[in-house]
Amino acid sequence: MEDAFYNRLGNDRISSRQIDELIGLARGLVADGNVNQAEVEFLEKWLVANAGISDLPILSTLYYRVRDILADGVVDEEEKAELLDTLNRFSNRDFELGETLKATTLPLCAPAPVLSFEGRTYCFTGTFNYGQRKHCEVAVTERGASAGGLTQKTNVLVIGMYATDSWKHSSFGTKILNAVKYRKEGLPISIVSEEHWVRHL
C-alpha cells in the first residue's frame, strides 16, 4: 500500500512536469501566430514519447488529434487554425483537453431538440472529441444532411465539447454569437452541444 502511494506521488510529479513542458512547448509553437507542418510533426513526436508514460487524458486526446491531422501527410489551413486555437488556449492554461465545459455557460437550446439529418443543414464550431471538424461533417452528410459555414439557412449549430468559459473571445465565438442573433430574430436554428449531437448519430 505504501509503495502504491509513493508510485502515485512519483506519477503525479511526472504528470505535472509533462504538463509544464507541454505548456512551454505550446507557447513556443504559437509564438509567431502560425503552426507549420514541421512543428506539428515535432509535437507528434513529443506526444508519442510522453503519452506512453502518462495516464493524463490531455496527452492522449491531443495525441489522437495531432495523429488525425497528420494522417494524410498534409496539414491544411483549417487544421492549422484549429490546432493553433487549441494550443493557444492550452498555453494560456485557459482549459484542459479532457475537461469539458459546463453547458450552462453556453447558449444551448433548452430543452435540447431531437435532431434529424435528412435535408437539414449543420454547422460545426470549436474543438471536438469526435474528431476534426471534417470528420463531424462527414458523419452528418452520410446521414443525408449538408454541412458548411453558418448562414441564415443553417438548421443546427453544434459546439465542440472542448470549449472554454471565455468562448466569446475565442476564434469560434463569432459563430455562436451570430447563431444566437439568428435565433433571437426568429430563425429556426438549434444550438446544441457535441454530446447531444453524438447521442443522435
Side-chain angles (χ1 to χ4, degrees):
M1 176 131 177
E2 203 170 294
D3 284 350
F5 174 73
Y6 283 116
N7 283 342
R8 200 166 72 244
L9 275 184
N11 288 341
D12 287 348
R13 272 201 296 276
I14 290 170
S15 297
S16 176
R17 192 174 69 239
Q18 285 173 318
I19 292 295
D20 289 342
E21 201 175 312
L22 183 54
I23 287 170
L25 181 60
R27 284 181 178 153
L29 292 175
V30 302
D32 61 355
N34 189 31
V35 180
N36 62 39
Q37 178 101 16
E39 288 171 332
V40 179
E41 288 170 0
F42 175 80
L43 178 59
E44 183 191 36
K45 285 191 181 80
W46 186 92
L47 288 164
V48 167
N50 286 273
I53 57 169
S54 170
D55 56 0
L56 287 171
I58 183 165
L59 294 182
S60 54
T61 305
L62 194 53
Y63 166 67
Y64 288 119
R65 180 64 37 81
V66 170
R67 194 185 66 175
D68 280 351
I69 288 172
L70 290 170
D72 59 1
V74 179
V75 185
D76 65 34
E77 291 310 308
E78 186 175 344
E79 288 169 338
K80 283 179 188 174
E82 276 185 37
L83 187 57
L84 187 66
D85 185 56
T86 300
L87 292 173
N88 258 320
R89 284 181 283 138
F90 179 62
S91 66
N92 294 329
R93 291 180 180 266
D94 230 3
F95 81 125
E96 286 192 10
L97 289 163
E99 282 191 21
T100 58
L101 177 61
K102 294 164 197 66
T104 51
T105 62
L106 287 167
L108 303 173
C109 289
V114 173
L115 300 179
S116 59
F117 297 97
E118 194 65 46
R120 310 280 283 168
T121 303
Y122 278 73
C123 177
F124 294 87
T125 191
T127 304
F128 292 82
N129 190 51
Y130 186 84
Q132 292 174 55
R133 194 173 307 146
K134 62 187 176 190
H135 298 145
C136 300
E137 290 176 348
V138 166
V140 297
T141 54
E142 284 176 348
R143 290 164 173 80
S146 57
L150 183 75
T151 70
Q152 294 187 348
K153 293 194 167 94
T154 302
N155 300 117
V156 183
L157 175 67
V158 184
I159 302 172
M161 75 190 324
Y162 297 121
T164 68
D165 284 319
S166 57
W167 61 266
K168 286 181 185 173
H169 311 293
S170 70
S171 61
F172 60 85
T174 313
K175 277 187 191 169
I176 300 173
L177 292 171
N178 282 338
V180 170
K181 183 164 79 75
Y182 293 156
R183 194 168 63 182
K184 280 183 179 157
E185 289 168 359
L187 293 171
I189 183 167
S190 298
I191 304 173
V192 301
S193 66
E194 175 184 357
E195 188 182 10
H196 180 72
W197 168 71
V198 166
R199 281 203 291 268
H200 288 78
L201 293 178

